[in-house]
Amino acid sequence: MGRYDFRPLRVHQTVSQLFASERIKHVPSWHEVVGTIPPAQTLVRTQPLQHQERPRGSNVRKSSKLFQPQRVVYEEDTLRKEFFGDHPWELARPRVVLENDGRDAERKDWSLLSQPDRPVDGE
């Protein structure tokens, strides 16, 4: 039959011929319905409708926070805000916090804020 299967279009005709030749004894209950309302003649599906642009002045609005991530808040953020509020010029000279050998915690007493060899900074 090729690329398309035409059997659904001929189901009423086939059942009528089988009943006329007495190969089937009873006509199926759907036979009259398919005779009055035959299957569709189009074998190819139509393209679905594309989304159309909404008019500019419409009152329908999406939620603006629908796909936005939740805000992550850390305790350190309040400390930084307070520190830089007290010392605004610390922002003028940015710092890169690096440890020389990773043993600063052993050599320094971090229970005190001021260190003798290190100036106070925001980090």
Side-chain angles (χ1 to χ4, degrees):
M1 292 219 175
R3 184 172 160 184
Y4 299 110
D5 187 9
F6 292 104
R7 287 179 290 177
L9 296 175
R10 290 196 282 253
V11 70
H12 184 265
Q13 177 187 0
T14 305
V15 170
S16 299
Q17 289 174 353
L18 289 173
F19 182 68
S21 66
E22 298 178 354
R23 291 187 63 190
I24 57 172
K25 295 184 168 105
H26 302 286
V27 177
S29 58
W30 49 262
H31 185 264
E32 288 183 33
V33 176
V34 172
T36 36
I37 308 169
Q41 297 292 320
T42 56
L43 299 174
V44 180
R45 292 182 183 169
T46 58
Q47 290 292 326
L49 293 174
Q50 299 296 322
H51 293 288
Q52 297 188 8
E53 259 187 67
R54 292 185 319 187
R56 295 246 177 221
S58 72
N59 292 335
V60 180
R61 294 182 59 179
K62 279 195 309 189
S63 173
S64 61
K65 297 182 180 181
L66 184 63
F67 297 109
Q68 291 182 353
Q70 292 182 353
R71 182 160 176 81
V72 179
V73 179
Y74 297 101
E75 292 179 24
E76 295 87 6
D77 295 342
T78 56
L79 292 173
R80 276 194 193 94
K81 185 175 181 181
E82 183 179 332
F83 177 83
F84 288 118
D86 294 341
H87 308 283
W89 288 103
E90 291 294 326
L91 290 172
R93 52 184 185 130
R95 296 245 175 202
V96 178
V97 180
L98 293 175
E99 294 181 355
N100 294 333
D101 56 1
R103 299 180 137 198
D104 284 350
E106 295 174 3
R107 289 192 298 266
K108 299 193 186 295
D109 180 21
W110 289 107
S111 63
L112 302 172
L113 183 62
S114 61
Q115 297 293 322
D117 59 337
R118 189 167 184 172
V120 177
D121 63 356
E123 300 295 321

